[in-house]
Amino acid sequence: MNISISLASKKTRHAVLKPSSNPPIIFTPGEKIRDQTGFMRGHGTYVSAGSLKATVAGVEQNINKLVTVSPLRCRYNGEIGDVVIARVTELVHKRWKVDINARLDAVLLLTSIQLPGGELRRRGMEDEQSMRSYLSEGDLISAEVHSVFADGSLSLHMRSLKYGKLGQGVLVKVQSNLIKRSKNHFHNLSAGVSVILGNNGYIWIEPTNDNKDPVGFEVDLQQVVDIGDRQTISRVRNVVLALSYYKMLIYDTSIQYALEESNKYTVSDLLTAEACYDIANLTRHRLQAMGE
């Protein structure tokens, strides 16, 4: 699939910021963003001849008078409160190391999980010896960023009942900056599947299950998923990849619209370039019509 991107004119690039409904303007390294007067230099920018210029190819973001450029492609940089999907890579002293698509592995402390049975007590030697019975290498989990260390690595926690070990489902990987930040990253879609939109670019798709283990460690990996659920999960996966390919923000509304537009295609047809373009284009028009 080939994508042709028409760059905005210099006049448009240097104009006053447009409303958020307009497509973002992409700046290239060394290109002038705006005059420095009245603005502060942030990440992804530098000052030259009284102007703020980009150091990376990305999109301008403003926080009050602070100007930054977010790169189009980058490793995930976590913030406190982010929801992430992670894979356990190693067990060490009283902690698990997990891959979260970041520059460094994150850690999940034994004290940062809720023990089976919901017990609230100090963790002892017996708990440390039982760590592998809770989570072992290769397990997928949902968690929240608890803190950020000085070197940029993250500490996670799973103290809330909505987080835990993931069972039967499909993991989809997209660019982390395509995941729209919102108050809720756990969604039950009308199609009968649930999605967890990790801020780190990992998306988990699974059949909606109202009878999950309340603590989040007991999952049945031998359970047979109904063929209808598997087809729906595959459909959601394919429309998410279509949105990702055309660099559209991924959140509950965009996925729902894309699903509705995909009903005229079979699951296998959604892998074709024509179907992906059609779904992404129709979804974009619907979002713009709704002011999203």
Side-chain angles (χ1 to χ4, degrees), residues 165-183:
K165 185 177 177 180
L166 302 176
Q168 298 278 32
V170 170
L171 178 68
V172 182
K173 300 179 181 180
V174 301
Q175 294 179 33
S176 59
N177 56 3
L178 294 179
I179 303 296
K180 183 177 180 179
R181 292 183 178 273
S182 62
K183 293 183 179 179

Side-chain angles (χ1 to χ4, degrees), residues 111 113-123 159:
T111 56
I113 68 171
Q114 188 169 6
L115 295 176
E119 299 180 63
L120 297 175
R121 57 177 173 80
R122 293 177 62 87
R123 275 53 166 176
R159 296 195 186 98

Side-chain angles (χ1 to χ4, degrees), residues 3 15 18 20 33-34 68 92 113 126 146 149 231 246 266:
I3 304 174
K18 302 293 183 182
S20 58
I33 304 171
R34 60 176 64 249
T68 63
V92 291
I113 68 171
E126 183 179 348
H146 179 259
F149 296 119
Q231 289 179 339
Y246 286 97
T266 64

Side-chain angles (χ1 to χ4, degrees), residues 76 83-85 100-101 171-179 196-204 240 250:
Y76 166 65
V83 174
V84 298
I85 306 296
I100 57 168
N101 193 33
L171 178 68
V172 182
K173 300 179 181 180
V174 301
Q175 294 179 33
S176 59
N177 56 3
L178 294 179
I179 303 296
I196 305 175
L197 305 177
N199 288 109
N200 59 331
Y202 288 177
I203 299 174
W204 180 252
V240 165
I250 299 173

